[in-house]
Amino acid sequence: MEKNGGCWSVLRRSVSSGSCKPSLESRTSSITSFPRTNLVYDAATETRHLNASNREMCAPNDQQSSSDLNLNQLLEFSFHELKSATGNFRPDSILGEGGFGFVFKGWIDENGTAPAKPGSGITVAVKSLKPDGLQGHREWMAEVDFLGQLHHPNLVKLIGYCIEDDQRLLVYEFMTRGSLENHLFRRTIPLPWSNRIKIATGAAKGLAFLHGGTEPIIYRDFKTSNILLDTEYNAKLSDFGLAKAGPQGDKTHVSTRVVGTYGYAAPEYVMTGHLTSKSDVYSFGVVLLEILTGRRSMDKKRPSGEQNLVMWARPYLAEKRKVYQLVDPRLELNYSVKGVQKVAQIAYNCLSRDSKARPSIDEVVKALSPLHDLNDFAILSYHARMSQPGRRKKKQPEGTHNVPQNQSKWFNESQRSSDLFIKALGAQ
């Protein structure tokens, strides 16, 4: 159903071979030099390296050749079609915004590229590249290159593209429930524990697919905003602009400029520019910690010792009796006791400072999969224990009875979560 006209008609169509290998120019792009004498993790150094590397991404003379792309499974849209499909890119149709540009909601015909009336046809997400966007033309090409060939239930589906004059747009399947980031940090109703486990497992399966091919792919930008959810809370990875072919043969890593998001990038990658699949595993550990705690990887609004999630949580992850302090207080006791302990253990292993000590993402999938069936919810243990004869009602924590409710919200949540979790563990 691909069109034969337009700007792409003069380009060579590469033969479909199932290969995910980027072009030669992409593989040999310039490498930023980083200090290799001091491998001690330092947040300021990480920020400096990421900012410098991200600025390089807009280099106008470093663009991948369009002729290397495999486009025969994608639809080619005209700019006019996408303009109509999104209602002239109305502000009220904006789904989100990132380094690439704005993402708009639109509708297209079920049997082609023609626009459809809102509420009819197929609902799509249209991502438009900013002319001066952080992610340049090269990242747009990488997105088409990878998602044009990769197909998996836990990867977002790329439907088509538009390249017309200076316009660069991508058309994806519409993900009904938006991003994991919105559900964890911007919704009033907390994401249920069972959905958190389902999402973490699905996202891990998406990474496992990328890492497990004959030509491994390193995602390089694993974070909550790039995990999209369908109606049934199935997770799908999106935004492959930073994805890179992994090491081949006897090579242990790929040397590349450091790009990504502060708070998610593996420390050894930030300091050396050495990229491996274990870099993605570290990022997965950060996201798993966000799922467990309901906290952002970086949050400047929190006290100084709690702004960096990994640094704050690491001392609690390995100790069974301390892990309750990490659980999202909004869940109260609606989570699996053993599930929390296992998730904490997986996150701890993924966040190992030694990249070689981290598990493979396949091992992570195997560890997460059984957690769906656990029904040892802490609330049940608590009620069972409290219903025992002779149990005395615990006195209210000293100093809280005279505190107004609106001023003691966070204290009460933390205190209640801590007390009830200990009781739940004691009932085991």
Side-chain angles (χ1 to χ4, degrees):
M1 299 185 60
E2 179 184 341
K3 293 184 178 181
N4 294 321
C7 300
W8 283 102
S9 60
V10 298
L11 301 178
R12 299 196 308 272
R13 294 320 197 237
S14 60
V15 179
S16 178
S17 61
S19 172
C20 299
K21 186 180 296 184
S23 66
L24 178 62
E25 183 176 355
S26 175
R27 296 197 302 270
T28 57
S29 60
S30 61
I31 302 169
T32 305
S33 297
F34 297 96
R36 302 173 186 272
T37 56
N38 181 13
L39 300 185
V40 177
Y41 175 76
D42 176 76
T45 303
E46 175 180 353
T47 304
R48 187 168 64 253
H49 286 171
L50 286 175
N51 289 343
S53 298
N54 284 336
R55 284 195 297 270
E56 293 180 357
M57 293 166 59
C58 299
N61 296 323
D62 190 15
Q63 296 184 352
Q64 183 176 334
S65 172
S66 305
S67 61
D68 291 329
L69 299 182
N70 186 355
L71 302 169
N72 57 1
Q73 295 184 8
L74 300 177
L75 298 177
E76 180 189 345
F77 293 82
S78 70
F79 181 73
H80 177 73
E81 288 173 332
L82 295 182
K83 183 178 180 180
S84 299
T86 58
N88 198 24
F89 302 106
R90 295 192 317 269
D92 60 355
S93 69
I94 293 176
L95 297 173
E97 180 184 10
F100 186 103
F102 289 103
V103 181
F104 299 87
K105 186 177 182 179
W107 290 266
I108 62 172
D109 186 82
E110 295 181 357
N111 300 312
T113 62
K117 293 181 179 180
S120 64
I122 300 175
T123 309
V124 294
V126 180
K127 186 159 66 171
S128 175
L129 171 65
K130 294 178 181 177
D132 57 345
L134 181 63
Q135 291 181 236
H137 179 77
R138 179 175 55 195
E139 281 61 46
W140 185 91
M141 301 295 284
E143 185 100 350
V144 176
D145 194 12
F146 285 115
L147 280 183
Q149 301 179 69
L150 299 174
H151 304 281
H152 187 270
N154 296 112
L155 302 185
V156 70
K157 180 182 179 182
L158 178 63
I159 297 174
Y161 62 91
C162 170
I163 178 168
E164 192 171 300
D165 298 325
D166 61 345
Q167 303 293 341
R168 303 288 184 273
L169 301 98
L170 296 173
V171 182
Y172 303 88
E173 63 175 320
F174 176 70
M175 301 298 288
T176 312
R177 296 195 180 274
S179 71
L180 173 60
E181 178 187 35
N182 287 338
H183 284 271
L184 283 179
F185 311 126
R186 298 178 182 175
R187 298 289 177 90
T188 303
I189 301 175
L191 190 65
W193 177 256
S194 59
N195 287 346
R196 297 187 191 213
I197 295 299
K198 182 176 184 178
I199 292 167
T201 305
K205 289 180 178 178
L207 276 184
F209 171 73
L210 297 178
H211 292 180
T214 54
E215 297 182 352
I217 297 172
I218 302 174
Y219 186 52
R220 206 161 48 150
D221 201 20
F222 190 87
K223 56 185 178 181
T224 53
S225 61
N226 283 344
I227 300 173
L228 303 184
L229 309 173
D230 66 11
T231 305
E232 302 300 322
Y233 290 95
N234 294 304
K236 300 191 180 187
L237 306 187
S238 67
D239 197 343
F240 279 67
L242 300 184
K244 191 170 183 65
Q248 300 288 320
D250 58 353
K251 293 184 179 179
T252 59
H253 63 270
V254 175
S255 294
T256 179
R257 71 189 189 283
V258 179
V259 294
T261 303
Y262 179 50
Y264 293 96
E268 77 283 351
Y269 168 54
V270 170
M271 299 304 294
T272 68
H274 291 176
L275 186 67
T276 71
S277 61
K278 296 298 181 72
S279 306
D280 279 347
V281 172
Y282 181 93
S283 300
F284 180 87
V286 177
V287 169
L288 192 59
L289 201 52
E290 290 181 302
I291 291 174
L292 175 63
T293 64
R295 295 185 176 213
R296 293 181 179 274
S297 62
M298 294 298 303
D299 191 346
K300 298 297 184 181
K301 296 179 181 180
R302 292 192 178 273
S304 59
E306 300 181 18
Q307 293 180 359
N308 184 304
L309 178 59
V310 173
M311 295 178 66
W312 169 73
R314 197 187 295 275
Y316 304 103
L317 285 173
E319 296 192 33
K320 179 179 178 180
R321 293 282 174 172
K322 287 186 175 182
V323 71
Y324 69 88
Q325 298 183 46
L326 299 177
V327 181
D328 187 343
R330 296 179 301 165
L331 286 173
E332 295 185 336
L333 291 180
N334 296 302
Y335 53 82
S336 163
V337 175
K338 294 180 180 178
V340 163
Q341 295 167 358
K342 189 62 177 179
V343 166
Q345 179 186 356
I346 295 170
Y348 181 79
N349 293 336
C350 290
L351 294 170
S352 173
R353 294 181 178 89
D354 180 3
S355 61
K356 295 180 180 179
R358 296 171 199 153
S360 68
I361 200 64
D362 279 329
E363 293 172 324
V364 171
V365 172
K366 291 178 182 178
L368 284 173
S369 295
L371 305 188
H372 294 271
D373 302 323
L374 296 177
N375 56 8
D376 60 328
F377 274 63
I379 189 69
L380 301 177
S381 299
Y382 172 69
H383 286 320
R385 185 168 178 79
M386 295 305 293
S387 64
Q388 294 175 4
R391 293 292 300 178
R392 294 175 59 185
K393 185 176 180 181
K394 184 170 180 175
K395 296 173 65 177
Q396 188 175 18
E398 183 179 354
T400 63
H401 57 283
N402 292 325
V403 181
Q405 183 177 3
N406 63 340
Q407 295 180 14
S408 61
K409 175 183 176 183
W410 294 110
F411 174 83
N412 289 336
E413 284 184 345
S414 178
Q415 184 70 39
R416 181 169 63 253
S417 180
S418 301
D419 291 346
L420 297 185
F421 191 88
I422 291 175
K423 291 177 182 176
L425 285 179
Q428 302 302 307

